[in-house]
Amino acid sequence: MMTQIFRSLVEKIQMILLLLWVKIDLEFFDSFNDVILKIIDLIMLFAPYGVFALLATLIVEAPKWDLLKSLLLYSLTLILGLGVLILLYLIIVKTFTGKSPNFFLKGILPAQLVAFSTSSSAATLPVTMDRVHNHLGVKEEVSSFVLPIGATINMDGTALYQAIAAVFIAQTFGLDLSLGAQLGIILTATLASIGAAAVPSAGIIVLVIVLSQAGIPEAGLALIFAVDRPLDMCRTVVNITGDATVSMLVDKLIKKK
């Protein structure tokens, strides 16, 4: 009898210690995440001064009209690519859920507008969850699980941006990228986008990893920094649209089962 009581007491103590350890771990990683986000905020605060210095040199060395024309073509290429992604999402929604593109766009439009204005998937998350659940008809248990994960790891627009930006910077510096280097950019951009923080302009910081992998000078970031903010607004729209698309697919799959 005493043995059973002692064993039960030991098990309870172990359970309490385990829960305490889990709580400590969660608080540690939450605090660590806050520190990382604060560091990013500080970097973005002082980045314009450094970028101004880098960009001044590049503008002096390169013909001004050629540089502006290249930036315009880069921006148009990225916007076109993001538009193709949106079109792909609409096709997926129509094919696998039977919902019309008009129904999908009407339901998710307010979230897209918030994403465009904030450039943050995390800041848009409450609106996205509301629109997906109440206007696209996705179950709350699906939207509350899929969308927070998507806001963290589903960064299709960011991945596309990093790949296009890396190729653009390489071409600006006159670097010839082999097929292996281009495939490496695609792979690294995809993986790096998963780790990008859901805050404004975080993708440009993660882009350093992509450039380093391909042997492209990181100083080239100064070329695209001037147009990064409006493009960041556009790719955030694509990111949250992808999240909504996946949530509808998961909801449809669950309903079939």
PDB file of all heavy atoms in Angstrom, residues 32-44:
ATOM      1  N   PHE A  32      13.028  34.408 -26.800  1.00  0.00           N
ATOM      2  CA  PHE A  32      14.059  34.405 -27.842  1.00  0.00           C
ATOM      3  C   PHE A  32      13.495  34.977 -29.143  1.00  0.00           C
ATOM      4  O   PHE A  32      14.169  35.743 -29.849  1.00  0.00           O
ATOM      5  CB  PHE A  32      14.563  32.979 -28.058  1.00  0.00           C
ATOM      6  CG  PHE A  32      15.726  32.871 -29.003  1.00  0.00           C
ATOM      7  CD1 PHE A  32      16.985  33.320 -28.630  1.00  0.00           C
ATOM      8  CD2 PHE A  32      15.569  32.332 -30.266  1.00  0.00           C
ATOM      9  CE1 PHE A  32      18.064  33.225 -29.495  1.00  0.00           C
ATOM     10  CE2 PHE A  32      16.631  32.231 -31.138  1.00  0.00           C
ATOM     11  CZ  PHE A  32      17.884  32.683 -30.749  1.00  0.00           C
ATOM     12  N   ASN A  33      12.242  34.607 -29.469  1.00  0.00           N
ATOM     13  CA  ASN A  33      11.595  35.133 -30.665  1.00  0.00           C
ATOM     14  C   ASN A  33      11.419  36.652 -30.560  1.00  0.00           C
ATOM     15  O   ASN A  33      11.624  37.380 -31.539  1.00  0.00           O
ATOM     16  CB  ASN A  33      10.234  34.454 -30.857  1.00  0.00           C
ATOM     17  CG  ASN A  33       9.530  34.914 -32.115  1.00  0.00           C
ATOM     18  OD1 ASN A  33       9.995  34.707 -33.226  1.00  0.00           O
ATOM     19  ND2 ASN A  33       8.387  35.550 -31.943  1.00  0.00           N
ATOM     20  N   ASP A  34      11.043  37.125 -29.382  1.00  0.00           N
ATOM     21  CA  ASP A  34      10.889  38.566 -29.180  1.00  0.00           C
ATOM     22  C   ASP A  34      12.222  39.292 -29.374  1.00  0.00           C
ATOM     23  O   ASP A  34      12.265  40.390 -29.946  1.00  0.00           O
ATOM     24  CB  ASP A  34      10.351  38.854 -27.773  1.00  0.00           C
ATOM     25  CG  ASP A  34       8.911  38.395 -27.596  1.00  0.00           C
ATOM     26  OD1 ASP A  34       8.222  38.231 -28.622  1.00  0.00           O
ATOM     27  OD2 ASP A  34       8.495  38.180 -26.440  1.00  0.00           O
ATOM     28  N   VAL A  35      13.297  38.669 -28.904  1.00  0.00           N
ATOM     29  CA  VAL A  35      14.622  39.273 -29.067  1.00  0.00           C
ATOM     30  C   VAL A  35      14.999  39.368 -30.540  1.00  0.00           C
ATOM     31  O   VAL A  35      15.507  40.399 -31.018  1.00  0.00           O
ATOM     32  CB  VAL A  35      15.683  38.463 -28.291  1.00  0.00           C
ATOM     33  CG1 VAL A  35      17.090  38.944 -28.634  1.00  0.00           C
ATOM     34  CG2 VAL A  35      15.448  38.583 -26.791  1.00  0.00           C
ATOM     35  N   ILE A  36      14.748  38.283 -31.286  1.00  0.00           N
ATOM     36  CA  ILE A  36      15.061  38.266 -32.718  1.00  0.00           C
ATOM     37  C   ILE A  36      14.277  39.350 -33.456  1.00  0.00           C
ATOM     38  O   ILE A  36      14.823  40.086 -34.293  1.00  0.00           O
ATOM     39  CB  ILE A  36      14.752  36.883 -33.328  1.00  0.00           C
ATOM     40  CG1 ILE A  36      15.679  35.823 -32.734  1.00  0.00           C
ATOM     41  CG2 ILE A  36      14.914  36.921 -34.845  1.00  0.00           C
ATOM     42  CD1 ILE A  36      17.149  36.036 -32.997  1.00  0.00           C
ATOM     43  N   LEU A  37      12.977  39.450 -33.145  1.00  0.00           N
ATOM     44  CA  LEU A  37      12.156  40.467 -33.792  1.00  0.00           C
ATOM     45  C   LEU A  37      12.641  41.878 -33.441  1.00  0.00           C
ATOM     46  O   LEU A  37      12.625  42.777 -34.290  1.00  0.00           O
ATOM     47  CB  LEU A  37      10.690  40.298 -33.379  1.00  0.00           C
ATOM     48  CG  LEU A  37       9.991  39.025 -33.872  1.00  0.00           C
ATOM     49  CD1 LEU A  37       8.555  38.989 -33.381  1.00  0.00           C
ATOM     50  CD2 LEU A  37      10.031  38.937 -35.392  1.00  0.00           C
ATOM     51  N   LYS A  38      13.089  42.063 -32.200  1.00  0.00           N
ATOM     52  CA  LYS A  38      13.606  43.375 -31.800  1.00  0.00           C
ATOM     53  C   LYS A  38      14.898  43.701 -32.539  1.00  0.00           C
ATOM     54  O   LYS A  38      15.107  44.856 -32.960  1.00  0.00           O
ATOM     55  CB  LYS A  38      13.849  43.389 -30.283  1.00  0.00           C
ATOM     56  CG  LYS A  38      14.231  44.767 -29.745  1.00  0.00           C
ATOM     57  CD  LYS A  38      13.123  45.770 -29.973  1.00  0.00           C
ATOM     58  CE  LYS A  38      13.489  47.136 -29.409  1.00  0.00           C
ATOM     59  NZ  LYS A  38      12.424  48.148 -29.658  1.00  0.00           N
ATOM     60  N   ILE A  39      15.749  42.692 -32.712  1.00  0.00           N
ATOM     61  CA  ILE A  39      16.992  42.895 -33.463  1.00  0.00           C
ATOM     62  C   ILE A  39      16.680  43.291 -34.903  1.00  0.00           C
ATOM     63  O   ILE A  39      17.311  44.195 -35.475  1.00  0.00           O
ATOM     64  CB  ILE A  39      17.860  41.615 -33.427  1.00  0.00           C
ATOM     65  CG1 ILE A  39      18.393  41.392 -32.002  1.00  0.00           C
ATOM     66  CG2 ILE A  39      19.022  41.722 -34.412  1.00  0.00           C
ATOM     67  CD1 ILE A  39      19.144  40.086 -31.844  1.00  0.00           C
ATOM     68  N   ILE A  40      15.684  42.619 -35.493  1.00  0.00           N
ATOM     69  CA  ILE A  40      15.282  42.951 -36.861  1.00  0.00           C
ATOM     70  C   ILE A  40      14.762  44.382 -36.933  1.00  0.00           C
ATOM     71  O   ILE A  40      15.076  45.131 -37.870  1.00  0.00           O
ATOM     72  CB  ILE A  40      14.208  41.962 -37.368  1.00  0.00           C
ATOM     73  CG1 ILE A  40      14.824  40.556 -37.546  1.00  0.00           C
ATOM     74  CG2 ILE A  40      13.601  42.435 -38.692  1.00  0.00           C
ATOM     75  CD1 ILE A  40      13.817  39.498 -37.935  1.00  0.00           C
ATOM     76  N   ASP A  41      13.976  44.780 -35.936  1.00  0.00           N
ATOM     77  CA  ASP A  41      13.472  46.153 -35.897  1.00  0.00           C
ATOM     78  C   ASP A  41      14.618  47.161 -35.844  1.00  0.00           C
ATOM     79  O   ASP A  41      14.592  48.198 -36.529  1.00  0.00           O
ATOM     80  CB  ASP A  41      12.563  46.356 -34.678  1.00  0.00           C
ATOM     81  CG  ASP A  41      11.232  45.643 -34.839  1.00  0.00           C
ATOM     82  OD1 ASP A  41      10.871  45.337 -35.985  1.00  0.00           O
ATOM     83  OD2 ASP A  41      10.566  45.388 -33.823  1.00  0.00           O
ATOM     84  N   LEU A  42      15.637  46.854 -35.033  1.00  0.00           N
ATOM     85  CA  LEU A  42      16.780  47.764 -34.922  1.00  0.00           C
ATOM     86  C   LEU A  42      17.566  47.829 -36.226  1.00  0.00           C
ATOM     87  O   LEU A  42      18.013  48.902 -36.651  1.00  0.00           O
ATOM     88  CB  LEU A  42      17.696  47.319 -33.772  1.00  0.00           C
ATOM     89  CG  LEU A  42      17.120  47.464 -32.354  1.00  0.00           C
ATOM     90  CD1 LEU A  42      18.063  46.850 -31.326  1.00  0.00           C
ATOM     91  CD2 LEU A  42      16.859  48.936 -32.028  1.00  0.00           C
ATOM     92  N   ILE A  43      17.728  46.663 -36.856  1.00  0.00           N
ATOM     93  CA  ILE A  43      18.440  46.625 -38.139  1.00  0.00           C
ATOM     94  C   ILE A  43      17.704  47.456 -39.178  1.00  0.00           C
ATOM     95  O   ILE A  43      18.310  48.255 -39.911  1.00  0.00           O
ATOM     96  CB  ILE A  43      18.606  45.170 -38.626  1.00  0.00           C
ATOM     97  CG1 ILE A  43      19.579  44.412 -37.707  1.00  0.00           C
ATOM     98  CG2 ILE A  43      19.117  45.131 -40.064  1.00  0.00           C
ATOM     99  CD1 ILE A  43      19.698  42.936 -38.027  1.00  0.00           C
ATOM    100  N   MET A  44      16.378  47.265 -39.241  1.00  0.00           N
ATOM    101  CA  MET A  44      15.593  48.008 -40.226  1.00  0.00           C
ATOM    102  C   MET A  44      15.579  49.505 -39.902  1.00  0.00           C
ATOM    103  O   MET A  44      15.420  50.339 -40.807  1.00  0.00           O
ATOM    104  CB  MET A  44      14.156  47.475 -40.263  1.00  0.00           C
ATOM    105  CG  MET A  44      14.049  46.007 -40.662  1.00  0.00           C
ATOM    106  SD  MET A  44      15.002  45.574 -42.140  1.00  0.00           S
ATOM    107  CE  MET A  44      14.234  46.611 -43.362  1.00  0.00           C
TER     108      MET A  44
END
